[in-house]
Amino acid sequence: MIRIMLCALLVAVFAMAWACTAADDDDNDNDAADADDDSNTDDDNAAADDDGNCIACDSTGECTDALGPGWVCTGGCCVDLGDDDDDDTIDDDDDTGDDDDDTPMPYWSDAATGLKWPRGMYTAYPGVTYAEAEAFCQSFTLGDLFVYWRLPTIDELRSLVRGCPGTVTDGECPLSEECSDIDECYTADCTGCAIGEGPGPSGFYWPDEMTGDADYQWVWSASPMLNNTGRAIISYGDASVFYTEESMQVQTICVNDH
């Protein structure tokens, strides 16, 4: 009887030892699997060139700044550990981030006067009559400005002149909103400067911001002449100020003061 009990005890001890050994083997296998999974995760985040190869860290063990924030060197390859939603990688031509759109508006806001101007002329040669120009600006829309466009005064048009001392704002030419008598207000100082030698684009006498279509024709103003049925006009080709009858065909630039 004692011999049988000893045999049973030995069998139980052997079974317990075998179970412990099997459990250790399972733990080792699971650890190895976990290590493989971690390695695969790093590989999934590693930067790759166009051929799918690893982009190696530099000689200092760092990733180039061009990859953007969140990239670290792991196992000799650059790995993205950040959560940057912007696609700013080296070879990315399509920046899908929230960068500001640098495309200029189709109109220019003059900080000196608060006026908004189209960047060029919007009626074709040979132009339109005064009544047509007035109607054109009243229905004019541009960019995000759908209302409040109108024909500018001669003073507002002169505020655009650059590089011609006689007809800039407060220049020697007397013709203005306050001085509209042809006999007294039109002088030699109103004849402008040399054609096509202005400081603006294409030699025009207006700001660099006025980059749209233009020609050397006259431009309507809304300013009436005191002893004439015409309106004051201006040319940015030579910065001259003059006047003409309302039935003549002249170019148009609208303005917005809102």
Side-chain angles (χ1 to χ4, degrees):
M1 184 65 180
I2 294 174
R3 185 176 297 174
I4 293 173
M5 291 178 64
L6 288 175
C7 289
L9 180 61
L10 288 174
V11 170
V13 170
F14 176 77
M16 290 179 62
W18 179 84
C20 290
T21 301
D24 288 341
D25 290 341
D26 289 342
D27 289 342
N28 291 335
D29 291 340
N30 290 336
D31 290 342
D34 290 343
D36 290 342
D37 290 343
D38 292 341
S39 176
N40 290 336
T41 300
D42 288 343
D43 290 342
D44 290 341
N45 291 331
D49 60 17
D50 293 339
D51 296 327
N53 299 319
C54 163
I55 293 181
C57 310
D58 61 23
S59 59
T60 63
E62 301 291 338
C63 293
T64 175
D65 292 338
L67 285 173
W71 291 87
V72 297
C73 182
T74 301
C77 290
C78 291
V79 177
D80 183 10
L81 297 184
D83 56 358
D84 182 17
D85 292 334
D86 292 353
D87 187 6
D88 295 324
T89 54
I90 294 176
D91 298 324
D92 181 27
D93 293 329
D94 181 14
D95 184 1
T96 56
D98 295 328
D99 297 340
D100 292 334
D101 186 358
D102 295 330
T103 303
M105 293 296 293
Y107 57 83
W108 169 59
S109 298
D110 187 349
T113 62
L115 299 174
K116 298 178 179 66
W117 299 93
R119 293 182 180 273
M121 300 179 185
Y122 280 82
T123 53
Y125 179 85
V128 295
T129 66
Y130 177 78
E132 291 170 336
E134 193 172 38
F136 175 81
C137 286
Q138 288 174 351
S139 61
F140 187 67
T141 63
L142 189 63
D144 57 353
L145 297 179
F146 303 102
V147 292
Y148 303 119
W149 292 99
R150 57 175 175 78
L151 277 178
T153 67
I154 191 62
D155 292 350
E156 291 170 335
L157 289 171
R158 286 182 64 173
S159 74
L160 289 178
V161 174
R162 302 289 189 272
C164 190
T167 53
V168 296
T169 298
D170 297 327
E172 294 299 323
C173 173
L175 202 156
S176 64
E177 277 286 283
E178 295 183 357
C179 187
S180 59
D181 188 310
I182 296 173
D183 296 331
E184 296 181 4
C185 303
Y186 181 75
T187 68
D189 294 310
C190 301
T191 57
C193 297
I195 294 177
E197 296 185 8
S202 301
F204 280 75
Y205 290 87
W206 63 9
D208 291 337
E209 290 83 1
M210 302 292 283
T211 56
D213 294 335
D215 58 36
Y216 292 99
Q217 303 303 309
W218 296 100
V219 175
W220 282 115
S221 83
S223 303
M225 302 307 297
L226 180 63
N227 52 353
N228 187 281
T229 58
R231 302 277 171 165
I233 55 178
I234 193 171
S235 170
Y236 293 105
D238 60 2
S240 57
V241 177
F242 198 51
Y243 59 91
T244 192
E245 297 292 328
E246 293 183 3
S247 60
M248 298 297 290
Q249 290 182 314
V250 177
Q251 296 289 340
T252 306
I253 297 178
C254 307
V255 69
N256 195 308
D257 56 8
H258 285 72

